């Protein structure tokens, strides 16, 4: 009997910064696949709140307990080329609702058109439905409490970046 090849998926995103909603999707992807590569994709022309290296470290701090998850940075690359390079069986994305689906569907179809790679959508857990990186940053910018929305390391990194403490 032959041993089946390890099934790897890619969880792509900007992760600026990673939220507990992202972590939930990564955790659930890890239950479905042998290996999850969290791909921090960034456009060098756009300055984020965190550098790609900082985003990677915050993802690792947020899901450090998951042995089969690794985090890699890709700049200026098509996601399908990243998937091909990694030999990924699928892209896994969380969808919080209809507007996420409307944003994600054309990308999923385009990625399949370009390379045949399928996108697997996981329904976002309703507990995290209101969480996005941009809203978390807005709340943190005005001094709101982002505990329960992001991991403690991310909360501290936001406070240091936005308020210097
Ligand atoms: O966290 P985000 O911002 O929703 O992630 C979007 C991301 C990075 C996954 C998407 O913009 C992407 O795949 N960018 C890589 C470039 C690419 O392949 N573009 C064509 C997508 S059809």
């Amino acid at each position: 009997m032959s041993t089946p090849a390890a099934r790897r998926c890619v969880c792509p995103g900007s992760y600026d910064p990673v939220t507990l909603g992202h972590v939930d999707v990564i955790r659930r992807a890890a239950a479905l696949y042998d290996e999850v590569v969290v791909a921090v994709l960034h456009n060098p022309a756009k300055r984020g709140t965190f550098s790609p290296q900082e985003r990677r470290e915050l993802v690792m701090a947020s899901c450090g307990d998951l042995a089969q998850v690794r985090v890699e940075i890709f700049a200026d690359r098509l996601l399908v080329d990243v998937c091909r390079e990694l030999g990924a069986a699928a892209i896994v994305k969380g969808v919080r609702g209809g507007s996420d689906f409307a944003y994600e569907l054309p990308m999923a179809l385009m990625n399949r058109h370009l390379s045949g790679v399928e996108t697997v959508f996981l329904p976002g857990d309703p507990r995290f439905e209101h969480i996005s990186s941009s809203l978390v940053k807005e709340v943190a910018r005005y001094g709101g409490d982002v505990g329960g929305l992001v991991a403690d390391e991310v909360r501290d990194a936001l406070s240091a970046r936005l308020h210097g403490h």
Side-chain angles (χ1 to χ4, degrees), residues 124-144:
D125 189 306
R127 284 179 301 154
F128 305 120
E129 202 173 318
H130 55 299
I131 306 178
S132 66
S133 300
S134 50
L135 272 184
V136 162
K137 285 189 282 194
E138 182 160 325
V139 171
R141 184 167 299 118
Y142 296 114

Side-chain angles (χ1 to χ4, degrees), residues 12-15 41 77-80 93 103-104 107 110-111:
S14 313
Y15 299 106
L41 291 161
R77 296 277 303 277
L78 275 179
L79 176 57
V80 289
K93 282 258 179 140
Y103 169 71
E104 294 293 345
M107 292 201 285
M110 180 60 77
N111 287 329

